[in-house]
Amino acid sequence: MLQSPISGIIWNQMVSGVFPRLYAAIQAIVELLPSVPVPILYYYLVCHERLPIPSAETELPLAILDGFTHAYLLCNLIPPAVTTNALPLISSSPWTLLVTSLLVANGGFFMTNLFSFNNPKSLSVQTPLELQAYSWTMADIWCAPTITALYALLTHAQPFWADLHSVLAGILIPRCRITRRTCQASRS
């Protein structure tokens, strides 16, 4: 069997055929959907012509599918890969969990923009959108670590998240809302 000697994790496709079948089914669903037009802003800035406006018929199914696949990636694939690592330093580090989710979820887009795969010209290295000015405001970049952190917080995936959950519960849920008068009245 193939293994990753550094991380000590068995490659999922070798253990079970569920993951390749899942991705093949998702790809088949995407291929059956009607073609999605490019966003409106692109029409006016680049094409300078009026093309069909994206509709709920084309955008909504892809948005739902994208949401489910991202949720599966960020909640079912990345946290177990980090928390079941053979090295305790890696498996218990909350930073490893967040950085892994950031890189895995956004790595493809980063590489695509870095080597300008979407441009019709020849390949060239350019500054990715993620590293340009105000790129930190892009929801796609922060979504992955935020969702993974929320999942880890609610499921106590690592000891840090269990401690943080108890601290937040102590801050947000007041222990006693009894005033001094009601406490003195109950004593007498």
Side-chain angles (χ1 to χ4, degrees):
M1 264 190 211
L2 284 174
Q3 283 190 343
S4 175
I6 296 173
S7 63
I9 297 173
I10 297 173
W11 191 37
N12 289 337
Q13 283 104 357
M14 297 302 290
V15 176
S16 170
V18 172
F19 297 110
R21 281 186 238 129
L22 172 71
Y23 293 124
I26 290 170
Q27 184 65 34
I29 290 170
V30 169
E31 294 295 329
L32 291 174
L33 292 173
S35 63
V36 178
V38 184
I40 297 170
L41 185 60
Y42 178 77
Y43 298 149
Y44 294 113
L45 296 179
V46 178
C47 298
H48 304 293
E49 59 186 62
R50 188 165 175 91
L51 297 173
I53 297 173
S55 65
E57 179 183 308
T58 56
E59 289 290 325
L60 188 62
L62 288 177
I64 291 171
L65 187 64
D66 184 53
F68 279 123
T69 56
H70 268 81
Y72 186 78
L73 173 73
L74 298 173
C75 296
N76 291 346
L77 292 180
I78 293 173
V82 172
T83 58
T84 58
N85 194 297
L87 299 172
L89 186 64
I90 292 175
S91 65
S92 63
S93 171
W95 285 110
T96 303
L97 184 65
L98 297 179
V99 169
T100 302
S101 69
L102 176 73
L103 293 177
V104 169
N106 297 314
F109 300 111
F110 181 78
M111 296 303 284
T112 300
N113 292 329
L114 176 67
F115 293 112
S116 64
F117 287 132
N118 291 333
N119 292 346
K121 304 173 192 169
S122 63
L123 293 180
S124 62
V125 177
Q126 65 182 13
T127 304
L129 295 173
E130 292 87 358
L131 298 178
Q132 291 179 1
Y134 297 105
S135 64
W136 61 271
T137 60
M138 295 170 50
D140 290 343
I141 291 177
W142 293 106
C143 180
T146 304
I147 297 300
T148 304
L150 181 64
Y151 175 79
L153 179 72
L154 296 176
T155 60
H156 301 177
Q158 294 172 321
F160 169 80
W161 299 106
D163 295 342
L164 182 63
H165 190 240
S166 62
V167 167
L168 288 175
I171 292 171
L172 298 175
I173 302 171
R175 300 220 184 268
C176 181
R177 292 188 182 191
I178 300 174
T179 61
R180 185 175 283 192
R181 259 187 254 150
T182 48
C183 285
Q184 290 173 352
S186 64
R187 287 184 191 159
S188 51

